[in-house]
Amino acid sequence: MSARIRMTVGEAVVRFLDNQYVSFDGKETKFVEGVCALFGHGCVLGIGEALAMSKHSLKVYQGKNEQGMAHVAMSYAKQNNRRKIIPCLSSIGPGAANMVTAAACATVNNIPLLLFPGDIYATRRPDPVLQQLEQSYDLNITTNDAYKPVSRFFDRITRPEMLESALNNAMRVLTDPAETGAVVLAMPQDVQGEVYDFPAYMFEKTVRRIARMAPCADEIKDAAEAIKKARYPLVIVGGGAKYSEAGEAIAAFCEKFNIPFAETQAGKSAIAGSNPYNLGGIGVTGNAAANRIAAKADLIIGVGTRFSDFTTSSKTLFRKATVVAVNPSKFHVEKLRSLPVRADAKAGIEALENALEGYKSAYRDEIKEAKAEWDKEYERLANITYKEGMAPEVKNMFPTTVEDFRRASGSELCQTTALAIIRKLIPADAIAVGASGSLPGCMQRMWTTDARDSYNMEYGYSCMGYEIAGALGSKIACPDKEVYAFAGDGSYLMLHSEMVTAVQEGIKINIMLFDNGGFGCINNLQMGKGIDSFATEFRYGAKADTEYVPIDFAMNARSYGFAAYTAKTPGELEEAIKASLKETRPTLIDIKVLPKTMTDGYEGGWWQCGVSRNPRNEKQKLALEDQINHIKED
């Protein structure tokens, strides 16, 4: 009979986590080094007691909002290429419910996120306990059942004996490149404090190997035959390429066979932006170079991408091309009627390289010319001022928006110009973190980097509120790098609570807050489809016929302990960035940018969205006709 150790369920969880390691390409890494917790009833006296009183090496971070701390954990795992995690612990009821959004975000992005939401009493003796959700038709349902549709694995630990299998299954999913996402172990608060004789081997050092899935020879043969027939192939680099550390292999593949490549939001920074074959971002938020080549391509090689609508321009950008998909996930690899290569990104691309000896694409100067044209467009975007270029055109299209905000804020700064200034002045290897609004589109097009893994854009779920918490997670993962959160004023107001955690821990993050007076991206969508501006600007009331609400975000940040600045002109932004680089404490720059001065869509970047089938004006009629024309070829 194996040796056993008597302890509480809470302590068993802590000691188990403290002894988990992973190995990838022979490199061993401690999988769990810290925990995020927001204590309340349902966790503080259970796992919380074990974190406070038992012996372990885990660092505990105090969360301020459950969703926010889970975003910290998600970004930390992403920055570590999914080989380290920060489990998150919450109370029952609203505390648990707050993490559901983050669970969905992690699952969509295939990022390992381990959650321990507190749950009601397994014995049900005090039913209904404070914050308990009751359903009269099923007393087994709790708030935590909301996790089931948004998680890769869910279990509820109603007996101590269940813990070993539950924890092992959690690790199985968290370390599986094809299936990883949110893992939820719901923890009834009475069970956390129960004592049990656990097997001693549960608390021994355990190393789990993250293996590279090798491709099937027949799939490689089929894919290689299709590629050899293609004249104008294009590689799309997705997030899976980054997590596989396949960037160098893909770059060598493209250079050998004269094949250009484009990037998804998740794949950006897997390969240097200066690589002569790198066309930049593709799709709805892509640039003109990548979209032009994609429209001409007769074959697409998707490496580690799930082919979202923003990558495929709602399946219109390369609909006539043959598609080869390299991905360890059987679900993703069979999209778009692809020729599947079910494999790790690096292993798959290396096998394809071996099978393509002697092949060369038909590209001549097209790649170089497309990149050169985009460089000119970048320069134009980087130098737009209010008095020249875009702003007069914008003023004619939207007569009140720009002038109203300029009058309220005193701003003379355009968004694209601001981004170019930031990119020029911050360190070349700084990590950029973002998620939502118009900034992801501008940054996929304009943000340049040669530093690997320096672009952390959560755009699978495009979750408002990820930006600032995500910057904290990336900084914890890379303490030697400057980390910048790129957030709009809407996202800031949605969730910025983990700023206080950064101050508490003495962790310097930098927040670039783009204040354009509202939900600018959605206002663009609304007005661009013929709808009056309504409840998308931060004015007094829902309609756009009042003044903007003036908000001093810098003052707010100072109240938390941040060094904070306000920039309304290019010169002020330059001075603020230079000053912030000298700071050792967290910083925020409140950048007042004029509405409607972000990048616009480029050819091939069409996006299908729900438009009215009963148009009320000419613009709505044109929007409907545009949608019908784009999808009728299907």
Side-chain angles (χ1 to χ4, degrees):
M1 187 174 179
S2 62
R4 291 184 172 268
I5 304 175
R6 192 169 181 81
M7 68 182 76
T8 65
V9 169
E11 184 171 357
V13 169
V14 171
R15 290 186 59 178
F16 177 89
L17 294 175
D18 202 18
N19 284 284
Q20 299 303 302
Y21 292 75
V22 296
S23 175
F24 183 75
D25 285 353
K27 182 180 179 181
E28 187 177 293
T29 307
K30 195 173 192 297
F31 195 46
V32 184
E33 294 180 339
V35 175
C36 275
L38 209 168
F39 290 131
H41 89 90
C43 66
V44 69
L45 302 180
I47 300 178
E49 185 274 342
L51 286 169
M53 307 300 289
S54 66
K55 291 183 179 180
H56 61 84
S57 66
L58 303 177
K59 178 173 175 57
V60 179
Y61 298 94
Q62 182 193 88
K64 305 300 175 296
N65 172 283
E66 291 85 359
Q67 179 182 333
M69 72 179 183
H71 285 322
V72 170
M74 180 183 162
S75 181
Y76 174 86
K78 188 175 183 180
Q79 198 66 54
N80 278 296
N81 281 339
R82 307 191 299 196
R83 292 192 278 283
K84 289 186 179 183
I85 65 169
I86 297 179
C88 295
L89 175 66
S90 83
S91 61
I92 80 165
N98 281 348
M99 293 195 295
V100 172
T101 299
C105 190
T107 297
V108 167
N109 287 278
N110 285 107
I111 301 298
L113 176 66
L114 178 56
L115 304 177
F116 290 96
D119 213 323
I120 64 170
Y121 282 78
T123 63
R124 295 192 190 162
R125 185 189 173 281
D127 277 7
V129 67
L130 178 67
Q131 299 180 327
Q132 178 176 342
L133 171 72
E134 291 185 287
Q135 288 287 6
S136 59
Y137 66 89
D138 188 344
L139 298 182
N140 290 301
I141 289 177
T142 76
T143 296
N144 290 332
D145 286 273
Y147 284 104
K148 291 180 178 179
V150 298
S151 304
R152 293 288 187 209
F153 179 77
F154 176 90
D155 202 356
R156 181 176 280 114
I157 314 303
T158 57
R159 292 292 307 146
E161 295 91 333
M162 298 169 63
L163 191 63
E164 180 182 0
S165 65
L167 288 171
N168 279 325
N169 275 292
M171 292 298 131
R172 169 184 61 81
V173 175
L174 291 165
T175 58
D176 184 339
E179 293 298 324
T180 193
V183 169
V184 180
L185 300 183
M187 304 294 294
Q189 52 190 305
D190 52 344
V191 176
Q192 292 179 51
E194 288 189 24
V195 174
Y196 182 71
D197 294 324
F198 291 96
Y201 58 72
M202 279 184 63
F203 315 113
E204 296 173 355
K205 179 181 176 179
T206 303
V207 181
R208 301 172 191 273
R209 286 186 172 82
I210 301 177
R212 293 188 181 275
M213 180 183 289
C216 165
D218 288 339
E219 290 183 347
I220 289 293
K221 180 182 177 182
D222 291 344
E225 287 178 357
I227 296 169
K228 287 177 179 179
K229 294 175 183 177
R231 289 174 54 79
Y232 300 107
L234 171 69
V235 170
I236 298 178
V237 180
K242 184 185 290 186
Y243 307 134
S244 171
E245 298 182 357
E248 291 181 5
I250 296 170
F253 176 91
C254 291
E255 291 164 12
K256 183 175 183 178
F257 302 120
N258 190 40
I259 301 174
F261 64 89
E263 307 162 315
T264 69
Q265 291 279 18
K268 194 174 179 73
S269 78
I271 308 173
S274 62
N275 185 294
Y277 288 89
N278 191 341
L279 297 170
I282 190 172
V284 178
T285 53
N287 65 42
N291 285 358
R292 184 176 305 150
I293 296 294
K296 181 180 180 179
D298 54 6
L299 182 135
I300 300 294
I301 307 171
V303 185
T305 175
R306 63 192 186 97
F307 292 114
S308 76
D309 64 338
F310 263 61
T311 298
T312 67
S313 291
S314 297
K315 299 180 180 177
T316 63
L317 183 55
F318 43 83
R319 71 170 104 205
K320 296 179 181 178
T322 300
V323 177
V324 172
V326 182
N327 200 305
S329 166
K330 187 171 178 60
F331 178 72
H332 294 314
V333 84
E334 295 188 358
K335 292 178 178 177
L336 301 181
R337 304 182 299 279
S338 300
L339 288 170
V341 176
R342 192 180 177 203
D344 164 79
K346 184 178 181 182
I349 211 72
E350 288 177 342
L352 281 174
E353 181 179 346
N354 292 333
L356 289 174
E357 284 298 330
Y359 172 76
K360 216 73 166 180
S361 79
Y363 289 107
R364 293 184 181 274
D365 298 324
E366 296 93 334
I367 303 167
K368 185 177 180 180
E369 289 172 356
K371 286 175 67 67
E373 287 184 28
W374 177 251
D375 288 343
K376 292 180 182 178
E377 173 64 1
Y378 177 92
E379 286 303 312
R380 185 188 74 83
L381 293 169
N383 292 286
I384 294 173
T385 63
Y386 176 73
K387 296 178 181 178
E388 299 175 4
M390 183 186 294
E393 301 168 10
V394 170
K395 184 177 178 181
N396 292 332
M397 292 173 62
F398 305 102
T400 62
T401 303
V402 174
E403 281 297 333
D404 285 359
F405 186 79
R406 184 170 181 262
R407 184 172 61 251
S409 66
S411 173
E412 297 179 2
L413 190 57
C414 296
Q415 181 162 303
T416 57
T417 305
L419 278 171
I421 292 170
I422 296 168
R423 176 65 284 185
K424 179 181 177 181
L425 294 179
I426 69 173
D429 63 350
I431 297 169
V433 182
S436 61
S438 61
L439 283 167
C442 289
M443 294 183 71
Q444 192 182 14
R445 296 174 180 125
M446 293 186 66
W447 197 255
T448 57
T449 182
D450 280 353
R452 195 173 78 176
D453 299 336
S454 61
Y455 186 81
N456 180 347
M457 185 67 67
E458 187 291 291
Y459 211 59
Y461 212 46
S462 187
C463 189
M464 294 179 70
Y466 173 86
E467 298 93 336
I468 294 171
L472 179 57
S474 287
K475 184 66 174 181
I476 294 171
C478 299
D480 58 328
K481 300 283 181 70
E482 289 281 1
V483 178
Y484 291 82
F486 287 80
D489 46 335
S491 285
Y492 182 89
L493 293 171
M494 185 78 71
L495 183 61
H496 63 268
S497 54
E498 305 318 300
M499 288 171 64
V500 177
T501 305
V503 172
Q504 283 179 292
E505 296 292 337
I507 297 174
K508 185 192 178 187
I509 60 173
N510 304 281
I511 300 172
M512 297 300 190
L513 198 163
F514 284 69
D515 177 10
N516 62 4
F519 304 115
C521 176
I522 297 304
N523 182 261
N524 288 348
L525 177 62
Q526 181 182 56
M527 299 186 73
K529 300 300 182 183
I531 302 171
D532 295 338
S533 178
F534 184 73
T536 51
E537 297 178 271
F538 296 157
R539 298 178 184 258
Y540 293 98
K543 292 187 176 181
D545 56 2
T546 62
E547 294 297 315
Y548 279 93
V549 177
I551 304 175
D552 188 338
F553 291 105
M555 182 182 290
N556 180 220
R558 289 188 197 102
S559 73
Y560 294 144
F562 273 56
Y565 314 86
T566 300
K568 301 177 182 180
T569 67
E572 289 177 354
L573 179 57
E574 290 182 10
E575 291 304 313
I577 294 170
K578 292 174 182 177
S580 69
L581 285 168
K582 299 175 183 178
E583 283 286 346
T584 57
R585 55 180 169 156
T587 73
L588 178 145
I589 304 178
D590 182 1
I591 309 169
K592 305 297 186 184
V593 292
L594 295 168
K596 314 300 179 190
T597 61
M598 58 284 286
T599 57
D600 200 356
Y602 290 89
E603 182 180 352
W606 182 76
W607 185 41
Q608 183 175 343
C609 48
V611 298
S612 172
R613 291 279 169 169
N614 183 28
R616 300 173 188 270
N617 55 43
E618 187 63 24
K619 206 163 191 178
Q620 288 187 9
K621 182 180 179 181
L622 290 173
L624 177 59
E625 290 175 354
D626 178 63
Q627 177 157 301
I628 292 171
N629 289 334
H630 270 93
I631 66 178
K632 68 181 180 182
E633 293 184 34
D634 290 343

